[in-house]
Amino acid sequence: MAAESERVDRSSYSMDKSITLPPNEIFRNLENAKRFAIDIGGSLTKLAYYSTVQHKVAKVRSFDHTAKDTENDPLYEISMQEEILARLHFIKFENAYIETCLDFIKDHLVNTDTKVIKATGGGAHKFKDLIEKKLKLRVDKEDEMTCLIKGCNFVLRNIPHEAFVYVKHADSEFRFQNTHPDIFPYLLINIGSGVSIIKVESEDTFERVGGSSIGGGTFWGLGALLTKTKRFDELLQLASKGQHTSVDMLVKDIYGGSYGSLGLTGDLIASSFGKSATADKEFSKEDMAKSLLHMISNDIGQLACLYARLHNLTRVYFGGFFIRGHPVTMHTITYSINFFTKGEVQALFLRHEGYLGTIGAFLKGAEEDNPNQYSWGENYAGSSGLMSTSPDLNPMQRARSGTFDMLEMDRLERQLVNLPLLQDPSSYIPDTVDLSEDALAREYWLYCFEEALDGVRAVASQPDLPEAAERAEKFRHKYLHKLQTLRHQPFAYGSLTVRSLLDTREHCLNEFNFPDPYSKIKQRENDMALKYFQKAVKSLEELSWEQRQFALVRGLLAGNVFDWGAKAVSELHNDSPVFSIERPWLVDTYDQWLERLKGPPHKCALFFVDNSGIDIILGVTEAIFTFFHFMIFLVLASNSSPALNDVTNNELQILTERIAAMDPVIQSAVKEDRLTLVQSGSSSPCLDLSRLDKVLAGVVRERHTDLVIIEGMGRAIHTNYYALLSCESLKMAVIKNSWLADRLGGKLFSVVFKYEVKDVKTG
């Protein structure tokens, strides 16, 4: 009892430190909270609630340019407006803290119409009276298995890097998997006190097809008897330090080596705890715990394999309190699955498996709002990320597992789907370099993003707001903290990539109400480029056909250089070094592209555009001028929300309207609906073709799109460089980072012009 009291005192001390933090650090946006759900397990509580968050967005509105004296006025005005964002909050903490947390929520909860809290988990009954007393909410218990499946479906559908394979001793032990566009069917092995094996066939169709009484409770109970260790996590720590071969009887202990005719290696366990029957010695707690862990894991692994084969399933996910992200548990289950299936089936684990029950309970309570009709995205600024619980990895983070863990999901304005033209959506990987698996690349890019913080124009974008400097400092502090976390835990938010680093920065900027730091720069550069548009078009008309095609490509590439997100370009703006975009290029298929233009016209081209200013107006728009000579329809896809100096759909609408008034070709294309402007659904400088606006996907199908053009370093190099499409594609960019140029075999300002032809597939 003394040891237990000491543990609670220490936990309470940790709790006291955490709970006195501002509410926006843990229980964020409680003042606008509604629809609560809770999942109480044997040791952990997971709380969920929905809130509305007020945040600033940058809006552009066109000026009236009909009067003669407005010629030198800006093309559009920029204003900051308040919008309401729907957000889901999930918080995980130890049961020892539940009363203090409920008190904290009660003290900060205001203006809620919520009368019910959905509850699941074995502890829901135990704490029912306490919850109702503290929060004045009626506890409505939901079926545990239904909640678990609903939560699993939700994370698999909305979080791209949710599932991972565990690889012990790798540079990054977490190998994240692409979620198949159709997440069904799959097998879920839920390892709690016992084991439940569930076959999931659709959103509402699932069946418990098997199970076992030998599960996490068995490991815990037998482990306590063998080692006198009562705490589950301590038992796993003992196992991580043990040698099972001291206790287990191996094949070589019986036969002196391998049993070749049966394909059994000498190191294979022939009998768990077999040596304990004959050896006249004491076995260490560590060795017994390790032997027990192997015995339980191998039994579960074999069961999982048998049921996977019986139901012809290859996607097998593991969850439950037995897993809880412990490397030693994931390794033993992974080994077992690999052995019994000879590598045909992989053991898949989930980043947020601890939240599945509470997510499902929340969804049950929110069915009237049909949350599954929306797409949701993880908010990196408010989420803790996956932590390693290994005692040897990141000891400073291990202490946090005893306090709080957070996940936030934001409702997106648009439903996101795959680009219909992906050759194989299940194998599509957006990112060119996985920094999780490349330590040198990881350190280089983390350093780059730390250095680039001084160039983020947060304060400059809001010069009239005196508190902007304070908010900018908070943004800086939070983003630096995220970079430090990713340095120690590169797997925290899935695969670490340049794209995820950029997205994390955008999330942190939005967190502190800097929705568009480059808005005034974009406005100024758009106004400037417009003044040269007609002159540039006239010069193109004077060229021969072949000269014009090359001039258009050069214009696109030259415009693409002006990117405020690249350090080399910032230096270019200041020092104006001379760089050449003359051929030959690093990747150069221009001759094949030119030859293709002499053939039959394309039905429709989908063009993912990049930067504002020179790029979109003197690059892309000039190209449009001649595009309609060799294609029937053109779709311009631009960002839905701001990121760096990339043009947004709202800005592009105004620019196109202005240019159409200046140019009859573009005016005619707009009027005849041959030129269409569509939101991509993205708010990133990079491009994930598996998460695009559903409206855009519909336009792609309707127009029978047979050419995809991707422009810019973020969209065509950091992402999609190796993407395979079922139609012709053109990827072009100037590489504005020396490290990336070197990695691809070039040098700073090398040009990539990559025209690819694939067999067209109907979708």
Side-chain angles (χ1 to χ4, degrees):
M1 283 296 291
E4 181 67 10
S5 298
E6 184 179 319
R7 183 187 69 79
V8 172
D9 287 344
R10 284 198 302 265
S11 299
S12 298
Y13 175 68
S14 174
M15 177 63 189
D16 289 342
K17 288 196 301 182
S18 298
I19 209 67
T20 54
L21 289 172
N24 62 352
E25 291 294 330
I26 300 173
F27 297 99
R28 289 151 48 96
N29 307 114
L30 266 177
E31 66 276 8
N32 299 315
K34 54 186 77 171
R35 289 206 179 89
F36 285 83
I38 196 165
D39 175 15
I40 308 175
S43 59
L44 293 174
T45 295
K46 288 78 68 176
L47 179 74
Y49 60 92
Y50 166 94
S51 78
T52 52
V53 183
Q54 270 201 332
H55 70 124
K56 291 189 182 299
V57 293
K59 294 287 188 180
V60 295
R61 186 172 67 87
S62 179
F63 281 121
D64 181 7
H65 288 85
T66 55
K68 293 182 179 179
D69 58 353
T70 62
E71 185 176 340
N72 294 318
D73 287 348
L75 179 63
Y76 54 81
E77 64 174 338
I78 306 165
S79 62
M80 293 295 167
Q81 298 178 17
E82 295 281 348
E83 276 195 358
I84 301 298
L85 173 73
R87 177 171 289 170
L88 302 182
H89 304 257
F90 304 98
I91 303 153
K92 181 166 59 179
F93 50 88
E94 291 186 9
N95 288 353
Y97 309 148
I98 188 168
E99 187 165 358
T100 314
C101 286
L102 292 175
D103 281 334
F104 184 84
I105 293 167
K106 178 187 68 175
D107 292 341
H108 290 83
L109 188 62
V110 293
N111 300 327
T112 180
D113 297 326
T114 301
K115 304 298 181 186
V116 175
I117 180 169
K118 292 289 184 178
T120 188
H125 176 74
K126 177 182 176 182
F127 290 99
K128 176 179 181 292
D129 292 342
L130 179 67
I131 295 168
E132 291 187 339
K133 177 184 174 184
K134 294 286 185 181
L135 298 184
K136 310 297 183 194
L137 300 177
R138 178 172 57 82
V139 172
D140 187 4
K141 199 171 185 308
E142 291 290 343
D143 176 69
E144 191 170 355
M145 204 58 65
T146 301
C147 292
L148 192 72
I149 299 304
K150 280 189 171 293
C152 192
N153 294 342
F154 182 85
V155 296
L156 288 174
R157 188 183 297 107
N158 288 288
I159 303 180
H161 287 164
E162 177 61 29
F164 62 88
V165 173
Y166 183 77
V167 185
K168 189 178 180 182
H169 301 313
D171 180 53
S172 176
E173 63 264 46
F174 301 90
R175 300 282 174 84
F176 291 93
Q177 309 296 296
N178 288 332
T179 301
H180 195 282
D182 184 3
I183 64 173
F184 306 110
Y186 65 85
L187 205 63
L188 178 63
I189 316 297
N190 189 54
I191 314 171
S193 298
V195 179
S196 287
I197 300 174
I198 307 117
K199 179 184 178 183
V200 185
E201 297 184 272
S202 70
E203 187 65 43
D204 299 306
T205 306
F206 63 88
E207 176 188 6
R208 187 183 187 275
V209 293
S212 171
S213 62
I214 302 172
T218 314
F219 173 69
W220 198 349
L222 282 178
L225 290 173
L226 290 168
T227 69
K228 309 304 180 188
T229 301
K230 297 295 185 182
R231 294 198 67 193
F232 185 82
D233 288 350
E234 289 175 8
L235 195 58
L236 279 173
Q237 277 191 284
L238 286 176
S240 70
K241 299 171 183 174
Q243 293 292 330
H244 76 97
T245 53
S246 301
V247 184
D248 293 342
M249 186 176 290
L250 309 182
V251 169
K252 66 183 178 184
D253 294 324
I254 302 173
Y255 299 105
S258 62
Y259 197 145
S261 62
L262 293 181
L264 303 177
T265 64
D267 292 328
L268 196 67
I269 298 173
S271 175
S272 295
F273 288 90
K275 288 179 181 176
S276 63
T278 56
D280 186 18
K281 66 172 185 177
E282 292 289 326
F283 296 101
S284 73
K285 293 180 179 181
E286 290 82 0
D287 293 347
M288 288 190 291
K290 188 61 167 281
S291 175
L292 181 61
L293 180 65
H294 276 284
M295 183 179 79
I296 302 293
S297 298
N298 286 338
D299 185 64
I300 294 170
Q302 187 169 31
L303 265 180
C305 294
L306 290 171
Y307 278 101
R309 284 177 171 167
L310 179 64
H311 295 278
N312 195 28
L313 297 173
T314 57
R315 280 176 277 179
V316 182
Y317 299 102
F318 288 82
F321 89 86
F322 184 66
I323 306 294
R324 277 178 58 182
H326 282 282
V328 64
T329 312
M330 293 189 294
H331 172 65
T332 52
I333 286 179
T334 297
Y335 179 87
S336 174
I337 292 287
N338 286 341
F339 176 80
F340 288 115
T341 68
K342 296 181 172 57
E344 292 178 5
V345 175
Q346 288 184 313
L348 295 169
F349 305 96
L350 301 171
R351 277 177 57 208
H352 300 102
E353 64 90 14
Y355 289 111
L356 302 186
T358 189
I359 291 173
F362 174 83
L363 293 173
K364 286 287 290 180
E367 284 180 339
E368 63 189 62
D369 292 333
N370 192 12
N372 282 328
Q373 70 180 311
Y374 304 102
S375 290
W376 299 78
E378 184 174 4
N379 175 31
Y380 298 148
S383 299
S384 307
L386 181 67
M387 294 182 293
S388 171
T389 52
S390 166
D392 303 318
L393 289 172
N394 316 314
M396 69 173 187
Q397 287 294 330
R398 182 168 176 75
R400 237 192 64 211
S401 66
T403 53
F404 291 86
D405 187 79
M406 286 86 72
L407 165 66
E408 289 184 358
M409 301 285 289
D410 289 342
R411 192 177 75 190
L412 307 180
E413 294 179 20
R414 290 152 293 279
Q415 193 170 357
L416 303 182
V417 298
N418 281 292
L419 177 69
L421 298 172
L422 282 173
Q423 193 172 91
D424 180 11
S426 62
S427 64
Y428 167 68
I429 299 174
D431 304 285
T432 303
V433 179
D434 186 344
L435 305 181
S436 308
E437 300 179 8
D438 190 330
L440 289 175
R442 178 166 70 244
E443 187 52 42
Y444 170 80
W445 282 105
L446 287 169
Y447 172 77
C448 278
F449 277 90
E450 286 175 349
E451 288 289 294
L453 265 175
D454 291 333
V456 177
R457 305 177 62 86
V459 178
S461 68
Q462 299 178 6
D464 301 327
L465 299 178
E467 82 285 356
E470 182 183 349
R471 284 187 285 112
E473 186 56 35
K474 288 180 179 178
F475 151 73
R476 178 187 177 86
H477 176 78
K478 184 153 201 169
Y479 188 57
L480 279 173
H481 175 72
K482 292 291 180 185
L483 293 178
Q484 281 297 101
T485 298
L486 291 167
R487 180 170 272 112
H488 294 289
Q489 297 164 226
F491 46 80
Y493 299 111
S495 293
L496 182 63
T497 63
V498 172
R499 173 168 63 98
S500 68
L501 289 170
L502 285 164
D503 290 349
T504 303
R505 185 168 68 182
E506 293 299 323
H507 291 185
C508 290
L509 281 167
N510 282 309
E511 187 75 16
F512 295 101
N513 280 322
F514 293 108
D516 194 357
Y518 295 86
S519 58
K520 289 182 169 55
I521 289 177
K522 290 189 292 181
Q523 181 190 43
R524 185 169 64 248
E525 292 184 351
N526 285 334
D527 288 337
M528 179 191 70
L530 269 175
K531 294 175 181 177
Y532 294 95
F533 174 75
Q534 287 178 309
K535 182 179 179 182
V537 169
K538 186 176 181 180
S539 66
L540 282 173
E541 292 173 334
E542 297 170 356
L543 300 176
S544 67
W545 185 85
E546 286 204 7
Q547 288 175 328
R548 185 185 306 162
Q549 304 318 310
F550 187 68
L552 288 170
V553 168
R554 282 191 61 191
L556 281 166
L557 293 169
N560 184 245
V561 170
F562 292 92
D563 185 348
W564 283 90
K567 183 181 178 183
V569 176
S570 299
E571 293 169 353
L572 180 151
H573 278 280
N574 295 328
D575 303 331
S576 298
V578 176
F579 64 94
S580 172
I581 51 175
E582 297 300 324
R583 298 177 67 196
W585 296 322
L586 175 63
V587 177
D588 192 342
T589 55
Y590 176 75
D591 290 338
Q592 293 94 312
W593 169 249
L594 188 66
E595 198 60 32
R596 172 63 185 88
L597 294 183
K598 297 174 182 177
H602 293 91
K603 296 174 185 175
C604 178
L606 169 62
F607 196 145
F608 289 99
V609 299
D610 192 21
N611 303 322
S612 293
I614 293 173
D615 185 14
I616 188 67
I617 295 172
L618 300 185
V620 175
T621 313
E622 279 184 22
I624 294 171
F625 179 75
T626 59
F627 272 177
F628 289 111
H629 294 292
F630 52 84
M631 66 184 63
I632 301 170
F633 295 105
L634 176 62
V635 177
L636 295 184
S638 52
N639 269 9
S640 301
S641 305
L644 294 173
N645 66 321
D646 294 354
V647 68
T648 65
N649 183 260
N650 286 340
E651 292 162 348
L652 188 55
Q653 295 279 355
I654 295 171
L655 288 171
T656 303
E657 181 184 343
R658 178 66 172 153
I659 290 169
M662 301 162 62
D663 185 89
V665 173
I666 293 176
Q667 185 179 62
S668 173
V670 171
K671 282 185 176 180
E672 296 169 8
D673 201 27
R674 290 185 295 124
L675 174 60
T676 307
L677 311 183
V678 184
Q679 300 183 54
S680 67
S682 174
S683 56
S684 170
C686 298
L687 181 64
D688 181 352
L689 296 175
S690 68
R691 286 174 69 80
L692 295 177
D693 191 340
K694 189 176 182 179
V695 173
L696 171 59
V699 171
V700 166
R701 288 191 182 93
E702 290 166 8
R703 297 287 169 93
H704 304 289
T705 303
D706 52 359
L707 171 65
V708 174
I709 303 172
I710 306 176
E711 180 205 11
M713 191 168 77
R715 292 169 179 79
I717 306 295
H718 285 312
T719 52
N720 299 305
Y721 189 70
Y722 299 115
L724 298 177
L725 302 177
S726 60
C727 66
E728 296 173 57
S729 64
L730 177 58
K731 303 165 189 173
M732 51 184 164
V734 177
I735 305 177
K736 295 158 282 192
N737 176 275
S738 56
W739 179 91
L740 185 60
D742 182 69
R743 176 63 67 99
L744 295 175
K747 57 185 181 180
L748 189 63
F749 296 121
S750 290
V751 169
V752 169
F753 189 92
K754 194 177 185 184
Y755 170 61
E756 297 173 304
V757 181
K758 296 292 176 184
D759 294 332
V760 177
K761 296 180 181 179
T762 57

